[in-house]
Amino acid sequence: MTTKKGQHHGSGNPYSSRGNRAEFQGTGIPHEAQANHLPMDFPSYSLGRSKNNSFGEGTSPSPAVVANDPRKFPTDKGNSANSTVTGIEKDFWTPAFGMPGAQQAQKEQVKAMDAPLSIHYEHEVRPYIDLIDSLRGFGVDKDLGLPAIAVIGDQSSGKSSVLEALSGVAFPRGSGIVTRCPLELKLKNVKKANVWQGKISYRGYSNYLSSAAEVEQEILKAQDSIAGKGVGISHELISLEVESTNVPDLTLIDLPGIARVAVGNQPQDIGDQTKRLITSFIMKQETINLVVVPCNVDIATTEALKMAQEVDPSGDRTLGILTKPDLVDKGTENNVVDIVYNLTVELAKGYMIVKCRGQNDINENISLVDAIAKEKAFFENHEQFGPLLDDGKAGIKNLAVRLTKELVNHIIKSLPQLRNEIETKLNQSLQSLKKYGIAAPTSSSEQITFLIEKINNFCSHIKNLTMGEEPQDKVDGVRYITKVRNEFGDWNTYLNKRVAKFQNHMQHLVPQYENSYRGRELPGFVNYSTFEAFIKKEVSTLKDPAITKLKTITDITRDIFMVVAEQHFSAFSNLSKAAKAIIANMSQKQVAEAEKLLQAQIKVEGVVYCQDGLYNNSLFEAKGNLLPHLAFTSVQELSDHLHAYYKIVSHRLANQIPMVIRCYILDEFADNLRTEMLQLTHHKDRINDYLMEDEDTQRKRDDLKRKIDRLTKAQEKLFEFV
């Protein structure tokens, strides 16, 4: 947001009631075709004044005539309600009193103050607001952000007065924090005259109200029930629904006033508490922030605007509402006008100004209806503020129209993302519910069947795991079978390196051996005992690496089996513990059996043997790839034979060690695990214990079911909304 100074337009709206054409005010001028198709007997109401400053006097051309006027309807270039034309705005207009054939009826309606504050086509406006109200009623706002208008302001900013004027009901007043819980105010305009009905809901409690006079005490009662008697606050929502002839189609969320310091019995951190509560609402991108600021304070220093700027630096989601214009010092009125025209602290949505019922008005028993008439007279007769009324920037009626338009447009823009978020959250919840499964039955026979099914599902999962058929189940981002195969590959790499290392080692060791042990034999003759001694010694060094590899893969297997057990039995802690104990014990047995076979395999490799054909091929390869570089022919010959045979040993062990591990640690482990797990079903006296659920599990399952239920309802509601 930026601060700037400049000149606001002074001529006002040429189509306003302050000029010679008091046709209509509103959020947008309909196109010619749209204006022409509007029913001429449709009830109409003015937010400005007629030519002679009276209701319904004089004559006015039809909407079509106005729409065809060659002069352009002025806007504030993005800073007013008239800045953009959307699908809603084409039908979102408010004609003046005095339309032919309806004047007398309109006079009577105005006189009785029964007319709605704004007229919208039912199929263009109400369904969008009802949709979001329904989703909030389902409780979807617990799972994701819903489009909303949040009302914030410093204490004594006039916030409650604005809500009173919009809703037609009196809200709790007093010093300190009066609003102690967020209040969702749902306003619904009804077409019948003299209709009022309300409903307050919180914590599963609902009460229908037949009179607006009941609202204040019901709100106080709700706050005491939720936040306790006193001065505490709560994040829990109170819902107030009002259906009336005299309200706009609108839903607002009233938030506690911003406290700067603790007063009386208030907690010392009351300021931080209220700010945290307010921030939790206004930080959501789905929320339009309505910032209420008194005209008689420095707007740049208000805490409410500062908080809105922190969560919405660009001001795209913030609309400023100036209150108490009658308290402005003489000579400073133009400063207020500059703010309204967005020339001081800029907000993308701009500002509006209202004069609502003050404490003096309440003391003098001035009704809300009379307060609206008094507000109209105030702006009409004010030299500086009068043009603001004509431009649709002043008055509670203009504010009602503006807020409804802002909310509906915001809902329309949010719908695609809302559909995607609900679908994503629903799929995630369904997957989470699978983890907890269904609750265990209570009869003995059903319990056994249930337990067998749980065990079979678990063991089938384990078997698929060891067979490499588990695309969804991963260990540290890598599939289990892939991890095992990588370990086998590392074993092969290790052996290949040992072959190269052995070859280099023999180049130095064999000459030394020749000098120390060669007898009378001629060059070229190889001592077979020497050859065997070298091979046996080298093969024996492979035992420890082979056992280490066995234990590494056993650890990997045991850990993933534990993870799978947790996935299948997390709802039943006793069954999960039993399964994990079986896995741990069996892994020790399987590794012991496998280790015996590995040791035997290494021992067998100490017996030097190979088929003649295989050995000759390996020797030929060794002789062909190795250049003569040793001093004596016998030494060279021994090195060739050692290299040829050790390579054969390496190839055999590269396959045999993994085969032993696969047999005992993968295949046999999985098969034996099924047998041991099914033994649990024979413990008749313990089946109840195995299937006893934790309270936390039951709660989480129930929470997920409720979440899935509300998200499913929301999705169905969105499917219906075309």
Side-chain angles (χ1 to χ4, degrees):
M1 301 180 191
T2 58
T3 301
K4 61 179 183 178
K5 297 292 291 182
Q7 296 297 320
H8 58 81
H9 56 79
S11 59
N13 184 342
Y15 292 103
S16 74
S17 56
R18 293 177 68 86
N20 293 325
R21 287 168 294 279
E23 279 63 54
F24 60 91
Q25 304 287 329
T27 57
I29 297 296
H31 296 298
E32 178 180 353
Q34 295 161 344
N36 286 333
H37 85 265
L38 293 173
M40 295 308 297
D41 59 348
F42 190 81
S44 53
Y45 310 91
S46 174
L47 299 184
R49 287 172 288 179
S50 64
K51 174 178 173 181
N52 53 6
N53 276 355
S54 64
F55 285 113
E57 301 297 332
T59 61
S60 301
S62 71
V65 173
V66 176
N68 290 324
D69 194 299
R71 285 165 289 193
K72 294 182 178 178
F73 192 88
T75 67
D76 289 327
K77 298 181 180 179
N79 296 329
S80 77
N82 302 327
S83 60
T84 58
V85 178
T86 68
I88 287 298
E89 292 180 80
K90 65 184 182 182
D91 291 324
F92 195 89
W93 63 287
T94 309
F97 295 113
M99 292 176 64
Q103 286 187 3
Q104 186 60 34
Q106 291 161 352
K107 286 182 182 180
E108 293 172 359
Q109 288 170 328
V110 172
K111 183 177 180 181
M113 295 304 290
D114 287 335
L117 292 178
S118 58
I119 298 300
H120 319 292
Y121 284 114
E122 196 72 15
H123 67 281
E124 289 286 352
V125 174
R126 190 68 241 171
Y128 289 103
I129 299 175
D130 284 344
L131 171 67
I132 300 304
D133 286 348
S134 296
L135 299 186
R136 192 173 283 112
F138 296 151
V140 174
D141 53 328
K142 300 174 185 175
D143 310 308
L144 45 84
L146 295 175
I149 296 179
V151 186
I152 65 171
D154 292 13
Q155 287 182 1
S156 303
S157 63
K159 181 169 60 69
S160 295
S161 299
V162 172
L163 294 173
E164 284 182 351
L166 287 169
S167 64
V169 297
F171 282 79
R173 288 173 176 261
S175 59
I177 298 176
V178 180
T179 303
R180 299 194 291 127
C181 301
L183 175 69
E184 179 190 31
L185 179 61
K186 301 177 184 178
L187 306 178
K188 184 174 182 179
N189 176 257
V190 293
K191 303 305 178 188
K192 295 180 181 179
N194 300 319
V195 171
W196 194 98
Q197 60 183 13
K199 177 185 176 183
I200 190 166
S201 306
Y202 55 94
R203 286 190 171 179
Y205 166 84
S206 294
N207 186 27
Y208 288 89
L209 312 176
S210 58
S211 168
E214 301 176 58
V215 170
E216 183 175 1
Q217 287 304 314
E218 285 294 329
I219 292 176
L220 290 172
K221 176 182 171 184
Q223 291 186 155
D224 287 346
S225 174
I226 294 172
K229 292 184 178 181
V231 289
I233 64 172
S234 170
H235 287 246
E236 206 167 326
L237 197 70
I238 301 170
S239 177
L240 174 64
E241 302 175 39
V242 174
E243 294 186 11
S244 171
T245 310
N246 300 322
V247 298
D249 287 309
L250 188 62
T251 297
L252 304 169
I253 298 177
D254 180 29
L255 299 173
I258 301 169
R260 296 180 183 271
V261 294
V263 177
N265 295 327
Q266 291 178 343
Q268 289 302 307
D269 65 339
I270 190 67
D272 293 335
Q273 287 187 38
T274 55
K275 287 179 182 178
R276 284 195 297 270
L277 190 155
I278 292 169
T279 301
S280 69
F281 281 86
I282 67 176
M283 69 184 295
K284 299 174 183 176
Q285 293 302 308
E286 298 82 8
T287 302
I288 295 174
N289 301 322
L290 199 65
V291 181
V292 180
V293 180
C295 288
N296 60 337
V297 302
D298 183 359
I299 189 171
T301 64
T302 58
E303 192 68 27
L305 186 58
K306 179 183 175 183
M307 290 184 67
Q309 288 174 323
E310 289 174 353
V311 298
D312 179 32
S314 63
D316 292 335
R317 298 187 291 111
T318 304
L319 174 64
I321 306 298
L322 301 183
T323 60
K324 305 182 182 181
D326 52 321
L327 300 183
V328 174
D329 293 336
K330 284 219 175 263
T332 63
E333 293 90 348
N334 285 333
N335 294 337
V336 175
V337 174
D338 283 344
I339 293 173
V340 177
Y341 282 119
N342 223 3
L343 300 175
T344 306
V345 178
E346 185 177 2
L347 298 175
K349 291 189 179 298
Y351 296 82
M352 296 193 72
I353 185 170
V354 295
K355 179 186 178 300
C356 301
R357 202 169 58 150
Q359 191 59 47
N360 278 342
D361 295 327
I362 295 173
N363 295 339
E364 295 174 8
N365 294 321
I366 293 176
S367 69
L368 289 168
V369 171
D370 292 337
I372 292 176
K374 189 176 178 182
E375 177 200 48
K376 183 176 183 295
F378 172 82
F379 284 117
E380 284 177 343
N381 298 318
H382 200 288
E383 180 181 357
Q384 288 88 356
F385 298 157
L388 300 177
L389 179 68
D390 302 330
D391 287 345
K393 291 180 172 294
I396 201 68
K397 292 185 178 182
N398 278 323
L399 176 61
V401 172
R402 174 70 187 279
L403 292 181
T404 302
K405 186 205 76 169
E406 289 285 357
L407 179 58
V408 171
N409 285 344
H410 193 52
I411 292 171
I412 291 172
K413 285 190 286 187
S414 302
L415 282 181
Q417 181 181 353
L418 190 58
R419 287 190 180 97
N420 292 336
E421 287 185 1
I422 287 176
E423 183 177 359
T424 300
K425 297 270 186 185
L426 182 57
N427 290 335
Q428 290 173 347
S429 300
L430 289 169
Q431 290 300 319
S432 297
L433 186 60
K434 286 182 181 179
K435 171 182 164 186
Y436 294 100
I438 60 175
T442 54
S443 72
S444 299
S445 59
E446 289 178 337
Q447 283 182 338
I448 293 175
T449 302
F450 181 82
L451 181 57
I452 291 173
E453 183 179 357
K454 293 290 290 183
I455 290 173
N456 282 335
N457 289 337
F458 163 67
C459 293
S460 294
H461 190 163
I462 292 293
K463 190 64 178 177
N464 289 337
L465 202 71
T466 59
M467 297 294 289
E469 298 172 359
E470 81 320 341
Q472 299 301 322
D473 305 292
K474 302 186 177 181
V475 183
D476 296 334
V478 181
R479 294 171 63 228
Y480 163 74
I481 200 68
T482 302
K483 209 163 192 182
V484 171
R485 189 182 293 113
N486 289 340
E487 291 294 332
F488 289 158
D490 291 344
W491 170 247
N492 186 51
T493 301
Y494 170 78
L495 291 175
N496 289 335
K497 290 180 179 178
R498 286 299 297 255
V499 170
K501 185 177 179 182
F502 179 67
Q503 179 184 344
N504 293 331
H505 182 59
M506 289 301 101
Q507 291 177 7
H508 302 287
L509 187 61
V510 170
Q512 295 176 11
Y513 197 88
E514 178 81 7
N515 293 332
S516 301
Y517 299 101
R518 183 184 175 192
R520 56 189 177 82
E521 61 268 21
L522 296 173
F525 289 92
V526 177
N527 188 315
Y528 192 75
S529 296
T530 302
F531 169 77
E532 275 191 316
F534 275 123
I535 290 297
K536 288 181 178 181
K537 183 178 180 181
E538 183 61 26
V539 168
S540 66
T541 63
L542 298 177
K543 183 178 73 171
D544 289 342
I547 292 174
T548 299
K549 184 59 63 180
L550 165 66
K551 292 182 177 179
T552 298
I553 295 176
T554 301
D555 290 344
I556 294 172
T557 303
R558 184 189 60 248
D559 291 346
I560 188 59
F561 282 12
M562 294 286 192
V563 170
V564 176
E566 184 64 30
Q567 290 174 356
H568 283 262
F569 306 133
S570 60
F572 310 98
S573 59
N574 292 333
L575 181 56
S576 179
K577 290 175 184 176
K580 290 177 180 178
I582 291 173
I583 291 169
N585 292 333
M586 186 160 292
S587 69
Q588 293 178 358
K589 292 179 182 178
Q590 293 300 127
V591 78
E593 292 294 323
E595 185 174 340
K596 289 178 184 177
L597 189 55
L598 286 186
Q599 290 178 341
Q601 189 66 45
I602 298 298
K603 183 178 180 181
V604 167
E605 284 297 339
V607 177
V608 179
Y609 175 79
C610 182
Q611 294 287 348
D612 291 349
L614 291 175
Y615 184 74
N616 287 334
N617 289 337
S618 182
L619 183 60
F620 177 78
E621 183 181 338
K623 288 179 176 291
N625 293 336
L626 298 175
L627 296 175
H629 55 274
L630 298 176
F632 302 102
T633 305
S634 57
V635 173
Q636 180 68 57
E637 191 71 19
L638 179 58
S639 295
D640 292 345
H641 280 280
L642 288 172
H643 179 263
Y645 188 79
Y646 191 72
K647 197 167 185 181
I648 291 172
V649 172
S650 174
H651 287 169
R652 281 200 298 248
L653 292 178
N655 292 316
Q656 290 167 348
I657 299 303
M659 289 171 68
V660 170
I661 294 174
R662 183 169 181 84
C663 176
Y664 282 87
I665 305 305
L666 277 72
D667 299 344
E668 195 172 286
F669 193 171
D671 293 338
N672 292 343
L673 181 60
R674 180 185 294 272
T675 302
E676 287 295 318
M677 286 296 297
L678 287 173
Q679 290 297 316
L680 296 177
T681 62
H682 298 162
H683 305 160
K684 307 295 185 184
D685 57 332
R686 298 206 58 194
I687 289 180
N688 269 331
D689 292 337
Y690 291 145
L691 297 182
M692 184 180 295
E693 283 190 322
D694 300 333
E695 289 184 7
D696 189 51
T697 297
Q698 295 175 1
R699 180 185 58 79
K700 287 180 179 178
R701 184 191 290 112
D702 292 341
D703 287 346
L704 280 169
K705 285 182 177 178
R706 284 191 290 268
K707 183 176 181 179
I708 289 169
D709 180 61
R710 61 179 175 258
L711 289 172
T712 301
K713 289 178 180 177
Q715 191 177 57
E716 290 172 353
K717 193 74 176 177
L718 285 169
F719 285 152
E720 295 172 5
F721 195 84
V722 181

